[in-house]
Amino acid sequence: MRKASCNQEAFYLCTKIFPKMNIEKINLSIQPQKDQLLQHSLYNKIQNIDDLHSFLESHVFAVWDFMSLLKALQAKLTCTTTPWFATKNPETRYLINEIVLAEETDLTLDGRRQSHYEMYLEAMQDCGADINGVIKFLSEVNSLQNIFVAIKQSSLHPNVKAFLDFTFRVIEEGKPHEIAAAFTFGREDLIPSMFTEILKNFQKNLPDANLAKLLYYFERHIELDADEHGPMAMKMITELCEDDAQKWKEVEEVSILALEKRIGLWNAIEEEIIMKTEMV
């Protein structure tokens, strides 16, 4: 067998070793923001079902705009128009289509097909949370046909507005690897595990609260993120950035900003819970 040339060996280093080093560097860079999220005082503020409702009624916007990030990636990385043409990278095409399949048409607790956003809405309704806020907002988005105007004119908390505005700025202005960064690193994968424990405590202490669908939603996210979507999203980042140092730098910058916006969202929810508690 012919020995690999120096160029071949260099290519191997770039495609196999350097991306792994870059992912490790990004994980190190975003660790302070991840620690802030995991240690956030919000979790201790969710003491009763009303507090849980407050959380769900704001967090649902993150569930919805996650789907928008996903579809933006699908539009960038696959061909969603006619006439059809094969996009550059079949591997990223496969990865994003696999993720879309599960996120947009997953199996519900009772065996129906729904998006994760629709599953979340049903779970909210089952436990008595109000879905009118997000429904009204989406109606305004549809009516105005301009997401940025809809965000600005809404009555949402400034931090929720900033969270949504950041997401759609990345979608509108971002390159595929930047959108993938917000999708992959900007959505904290340890949060579902934490909330599963919170919900289990609620289920134990509030046996009348109907939390089955909500638990299923978070447990489903844990299962998919750990076993499938997490590794697939990391591979997608690697495919998009390859050995381009500038792309890796931009991925790192977007990832940090995305997590900071999530911290802001958590601050807004905590503020609302405290305010409601003080009014009682």
Side-chain angles (χ1 to χ4, degrees), residues 209-270:
N210 191 353
L211 302 177
K213 287 183 181 178
L214 201 55
L215 270 167
Y216 176 81
Y217 170 86
F218 281 111
E219 287 172 346
R220 185 70 178 133
H221 260 281
I222 294 165
E223 178 186 355
L224 286 172
D225 287 347
D227 298 338
E228 300 175 35
H229 293 180
M232 290 170 84
M234 290 297 177
K235 190 172 183 181
M236 178 171 60
I237 290 278
T238 300
E239 293 283 339
L240 289 171
C241 293
E242 297 179 317
D243 61 343
D244 189 321
Q246 181 61 31
K247 286 184 178 179
W248 283 108
K249 183 174 183 292
E250 289 166 351
V251 164
E252 182 178 339
E253 290 170 351
V254 169
S255 301
I256 290 170
L257 281 172
L259 288 171
E260 286 176 349
K261 297 300 178 185
R262 172 60 70 98
I263 292 166
L265 175 64
W266 263 210
N267 291 342
I269 298 171
E270 182 179 34

Side-chain angles (χ1 to χ4, degrees), residues 39-273:
Q39 297 162 15
H40 202 287
S41 52
L42 165 65
Y43 310 119
N44 292 327
K45 298 292 190 304
I46 304 174
Q47 298 290 328
N48 55 52
I49 198 69
D50 289 334
D51 298 337
L52 179 62
H53 290 167
S54 293
F55 171 80
L56 299 175
E57 287 160 16
S58 290
H59 181 243
V60 66
F61 289 94
V63 176
W64 171 72
D65 83 338
F66 175 84
M67 298 300 299
S68 298
L69 276 173
L70 176 62
K71 297 304 284 187
L73 277 174
Q74 188 180 37
K76 294 273 188 183
L77 302 178
T78 75
C79 183
T80 58
T81 57
T82 56
W84 180 87
F85 295 96
T87 50
K88 178 184 175 183
N89 193 321
E91 188 67 22
T92 54
R93 200 189 309 158
Y94 166 77
L95 291 169
I96 197 61
N97 279 332
E98 278 291 302
I99 296 172
V100 167
L101 181 66
E103 294 285 346
E104 198 169 34
T105 55
D106 202 4
L107 278 174
T108 63
L109 183 61
D110 53 0
R112 294 170 292 125
R113 291 286 176 187
Q114 278 189 337
S115 69
H116 283 192
Y117 166 71
E118 291 165 311
M119 288 167 59
Y120 198 86
L121 285 185
E122 281 198 0
M124 286 177 66
Q125 289 176 301
D126 270 17
C127 74
D130 186 1
I131 67 169
N132 289 326
V134 69
I135 296 298
K136 181 183 176 184
F137 174 75
L138 293 192
S139 176
E140 286 296 305
V141 172
N142 189 47
S143 173
L144 292 167
Q145 292 295 298
N146 187 313
I147 183 62
F148 300 107
V149 173
I151 293 168
K152 187 175 181 180
Q153 291 184 359
S154 74
S155 58
L156 296 170
H157 188 286
N159 289 14
V160 181
K161 288 185 178 185
F163 180 89
L164 291 170
D165 187 80
F166 172 79
T167 296
F168 287 96
R169 293 289 171 194
V170 171
I171 289 171
E172 182 94 354
E173 303 164 8
K175 303 156 198 168
H177 62 277
E178 292 175 319
I179 301 172
F183 178 88
T184 303
F185 294 103
R187 301 297 170 135
E188 225 307 301
D189 59 353
L190 296 179
I191 297 300
S193 299
M194 186 165 293
F195 271 95
T196 299
E197 291 308 309
I198 291 172
L199 291 171
K200 284 179 179 175
N201 286 334
F202 272 124
Q203 202 171 44
K204 181 174 66 178
N205 298 326
L206 298 167
D208 293 333
N210 191 353
L211 302 177
K213 287 183 181 178
L214 201 55
L215 270 167
Y216 176 81
Y217 170 86
F218 281 111
E219 287 172 346
R220 185 70 178 133
H221 260 281
I222 294 165
E223 178 186 355
L224 286 172
D225 287 347
D227 298 338
E228 300 175 35
H229 293 180
M232 290 170 84
M234 290 297 177
K235 190 172 183 181
M236 178 171 60
I237 290 278
T238 300
E239 293 283 339
L240 289 171
C241 293
E242 297 179 317
D243 61 343
D244 189 321
Q246 181 61 31
K247 286 184 178 179
W248 283 108
K249 183 174 183 292
E250 289 166 351
V251 164
E252 182 178 339
E253 290 170 351
V254 169
S255 301
I256 290 170
L257 281 172
L259 288 171
E260 286 176 349
K261 297 300 178 185
R262 172 60 70 98
I263 292 166
L265 175 64
W266 263 210
N267 291 342
I269 298 171
E270 182 179 34
E271 184 182 310
E272 184 178 350
I273 290 173

